[in-house]
């Protein structure tokens, strides 16, 4: 439903002592606990992509990896500007690999945004969250804000539909297909088909629609 991209100017020893790891290995409760401590010490940039913006970008590019690249390139540009205020050398960029590096460059060429220079990635690696503390910290920040924004999105849904069963909530993942279909039908029938873009990915097909 939401996409988050986070990049860090980090304090490695501090993050290790805090217990930062790949967010998939941590409980949501622990992530909520350590989040305030991370943001006190680390400079970071993130791109929060609500369903409406995601749907607009996907409609434009027709490729989820191009949408991802849009978010990553935005954050890389912003965090490097921030780091330049503190450092005299360029900060290397490490990315969790979701497509081949050469394909990433092709996605960059498709992006039409206000960033003057597309930012290079120094190192792509699969499962980078488990290998680099900075990538892990970014995943923790992203997960925290994903939880927060999903809760806000569900609150918005229930404010629009005050009679809706409080137990009906937009799921955090895409595995509960029947619930997603049910919520989709509720939004269309009780609000409007146009409102669907505010709450759900409209390209969602219950299959892996990622393309290289």
């Amino acid at each position: 439903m939401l996409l988050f991209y986070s990049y860090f100017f980090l304090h490695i020893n501090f993050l290790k002592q805090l217990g930062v790891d790949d967010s998939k290995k941590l409980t949501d409760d622990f992530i909520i606990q350590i989040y305030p401590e991370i943001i006190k010490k680390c400079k970071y940039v993130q791109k929060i992509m609500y369903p409406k913006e995601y749907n607009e970008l996907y409609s434009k590019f027709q490729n989820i990896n191009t949408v991802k690249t849009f978010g990553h390139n935005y954050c890389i540009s912003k965090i490097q500007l921030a780091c330049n205020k503190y450092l005299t050398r360029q900060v290397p960029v490490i990315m969790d690999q979701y497509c081949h590096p050469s394909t990433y460059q092709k996605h960059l060429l498709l992006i039409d945004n206000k960033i003057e220079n597309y930012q290079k990635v120094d190192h792509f690696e699969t499962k980078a969250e488990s290998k680099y503390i900075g990538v892990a910290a970014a995943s923790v920040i992203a997960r925290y804000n994903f939880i927060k924004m999903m809760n806000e999105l569900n609150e918005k849904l229930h404010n629009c539909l005050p009679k809706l069963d409080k137990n009906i909530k937009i799921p955090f993942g895409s595995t509960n297909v029947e619930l997603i279909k049910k919520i989709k039908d509720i939004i269309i029938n009780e609000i409007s088909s146009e409102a669907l873009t505010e709450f759900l990915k409209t390209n969602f097909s219950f299959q892996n629609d990622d393309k290289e």
Side-chain angles (χ1 to χ4, degrees), residues 9-26:
F9 173 49
L10 68 159
H11 299 266
I12 294 176
N13 290 335
F14 166 76
L15 293 173
K16 288 181 177 179
Q17 292 172 3
L18 198 59
V20 170
D21 201 343
D22 179 355
S23 61
K24 293 187 291 296
K25 298 178 180 178
L26 304 176

Side-chain angles (χ1 to χ4, degrees), residues 10-178:
L10 68 159
H11 299 266
I12 294 176
N13 290 335
F14 166 76
L15 293 173
K16 288 181 177 179
Q17 292 172 3
L18 198 59
V20 170
D21 201 343
D22 179 355
S23 61
K24 293 187 291 296
K25 298 178 180 178
L26 304 176
T27 66
D28 285 345
D29 286 343
F30 185 66
I31 287 172
I32 292 169
Q33 176 186 333
I34 65 175
Y35 167 81
E37 300 303 316
I38 295 174
I39 64 172
K40 286 179 185 177
K41 289 274 189 178
C42 300
K43 302 289 183 183
Y44 74 96
V45 171
Q46 69 175 2
K47 171 65 177 173
I48 301 176
M49 196 174 292
Y50 287 90
K52 184 177 181 180
E53 183 180 8
Y54 168 87
N55 289 323
E56 289 173 351
L57 289 172
Y58 188 87
S59 177
K60 179 178 181 178
F61 298 125
Q62 295 295 306
N63 191 308
I64 179 59
N65 283 340
T66 307
V67 177
K68 289 179 180 179
T69 301
F70 177 92
H72 283 296
N73 189 64
Y74 173 89
C75 287
I76 294 168
S77 300
K78 296 298 183 182
I79 198 62
Q80 287 188 335
L81 286 174
C83 288
N84 288 341
K85 296 179 181 179
Y86 301 94
L87 303 175
T88 57
R89 61 181 176 81
Q90 192 76 1
V91 178
V93 176
I94 301 171
M95 183 183 292
D96 183 48
Q97 184 173 328
Y98 56 86
C99 65
H100 192 275
S102 62
T103 308
Y104 180 82
Q105 300 303 318
K106 293 179 182 178
H107 291 307
L108 282 176
L109 295 175
L110 296 174
I111 294 173
D112 180 18
N113 59 27
K114 297 180 181 179
I115 299 173
E116 294 182 1
N117 298 308
Y118 297 128
Q119 303 300 313
K120 73 170 185 174
V121 175
D122 297 288
H123 183 66
F124 292 87
E125 188 164 345
T126 57
K127 298 182 180 180
E129 303 101 317
S130 298
K131 303 171 184 176
Y132 301 94
I133 192 71
V135 184
S139 75
V140 169
I141 286 286
R143 179 64 184 179
Y144 174 89
N145 283 283
F146 174 77
I147 295 167
K148 179 182 176 184
M149 295 305 168
M150 283 300 296
N151 288 336
E152 291 179 1
L153 198 61
N154 274 304
E155 182 178 355
K156 178 181 177 181
L157 177 63
H158 283 268
N159 285 338
C160 292
L161 299 170
K163 294 183 180 180
L164 183 64
D165 185 341
K166 293 183 179 180
N167 292 319
I168 296 178
K169 295 182 179 180
I170 302 170
F172 281 24
S174 59
T175 57
N176 195 333
V177 173
E178 293 306 315

